[in-house]
Amino acid sequence: MALHRFVPLAAICALALSASLASPAQAHQQRAAEPYCVTHKCIALTFDDGPAEYTNDLLKVLKKYKAKATFFLIGNRVKKHPKLTKNIATGGHELGNHTWDHKYLTDLEYKAIYDEVKKTQDIIKKTTGKTPVLFRAPGGLTNEGVRTITAKFKLLQIPGTVSTQDYIKDYRDVEFLTGRALDIADQDEVMLMHETVKQTVESLPAVLEDLTSQGYSFVTVSKLLEGQELIPGEIYPEQLPLSGD
Ligand SMILES: [Zn+2]
């Protein structure tokens, strides 16, 4: 998919103006400020519904391949598994809000949606010291109320752009899920998977091995979006929402 990266006009002008004046050191700093994924073949792997039984196994595989990922966590599971939550954070991965108990938000009243989001922000902050800036609605189901509330919490909505569909029971086969992940992987995609699915975690070494050989950098969603103008409450990357679980 093609991603449009927004570089503010003022920044372009400043760069053009400074090109003739900058010392080599300054020029280097300006190059370094360019968003990483403009110059690298990035992909953002995302894992939903944890922390869970296989979290530590997953973290080990990611570490081996120097991959950073994004974990969309369920608030009540964070409360139950503070150590696993901290392990994810200390591994350098990004933590996103996936509601308190994974209810479909489009079935809820405004106040109930607000509580789902707030309680999860609070428990992740309390557990890791970090406040999420990313939100994923269960099942990808969102509406105007979700948009308003996530905007209040300065959260971006991240439904994902491709999915292995590992929530489908018949797909839960390591070889099959490996093939699916490799089929749908592409530059700048946000891939949706579940850390609660054993076969997904088991498929990961082969997936990362193959994608590494294709030159991919595995980055967090926030790093993938760097350099774009981002408005809280809106859906990123810009696209039609992906349905899933
Ligand atoms: Zn989910």
Side-chain angles (χ1 to χ4, degrees), residues 2 124 140 151 180 235:
I124 292 176
R180 273 220 33 103
I235 290 171

Side-chain angles (χ1 to χ4, degrees), residues 11-171:
I12 295 170
C13 294
L15 275 172
L17 189 67
S18 61
S20 58
L21 304 171
S23 69
Q26 285 168 326
H28 177 73
Q29 276 175 359
Q30 279 160 359
R31 269 203 301 278
E34 193 167 32
Y36 180 83
C37 294
V38 170
T39 50
H40 293 76
K41 186 177 175 182
C42 288
I43 187 166
L45 306 178
T46 68
F47 299 96
D48 290 7
D49 296 359
E53 199 180 342
Y54 315 115
T55 301
N56 283 336
D57 296 334
L58 175 55
L59 292 173
K60 249 182 254 169
V61 180
L62 291 170
K63 189 172 179 188
K64 184 179 170 196
Y65 287 91
K66 298 185 174 60
K68 299 298 178 214
T70 303
F71 290 72
F72 287 95
L73 303 177
I74 297 175
N76 76 61
R77 299 196 61 90
V78 171
K79 191 176 179 195
K80 216 179 291 173
H81 303 289
K83 182 72 173 74
L84 292 179
T85 307
K86 283 181 199 154
N87 290 350
I88 297 169
T90 55
H93 305 289
E94 182 161 25
L95 284 66
N97 182 326
H98 195 41
T99 74
W100 183 258
D101 53 15
H102 210 271
K103 287 194 186 103
Y104 288 155
L105 300 180
T106 46
D107 295 338
L108 303 182
E109 300 293 330
Y110 186 92
K111 175 69 170 72
I113 301 172
Y114 185 93
D115 289 346
E116 286 279 336
V117 176
K118 182 178 191 316
K119 279 172 75 182
T120 306
Q121 287 296 89
D122 290 350
I123 191 76
I124 292 176
K125 173 79 197 296
K126 188 179 157 204
T127 308
T128 67
K130 291 177 181 167
T131 304
V133 297
L134 308 177
F135 176 81
R136 176 171 286 164
L141 297 171
T142 186
N143 59 20
E144 188 54 26
V146 175
R147 193 188 69 78
T148 306
I149 290 160
T150 49
K152 270 188 209 297
F153 286 97
K154 298 191 165 44
L155 289 160
L156 308 173
Q157 297 196 64
I158 313 290
T161 59
V162 290
S163 168
T164 60
Q165 295 180 297
D166 58 356
Y167 50 85
I168 297 173
K169 291 214 164 41
D170 286 351
Y171 285 11

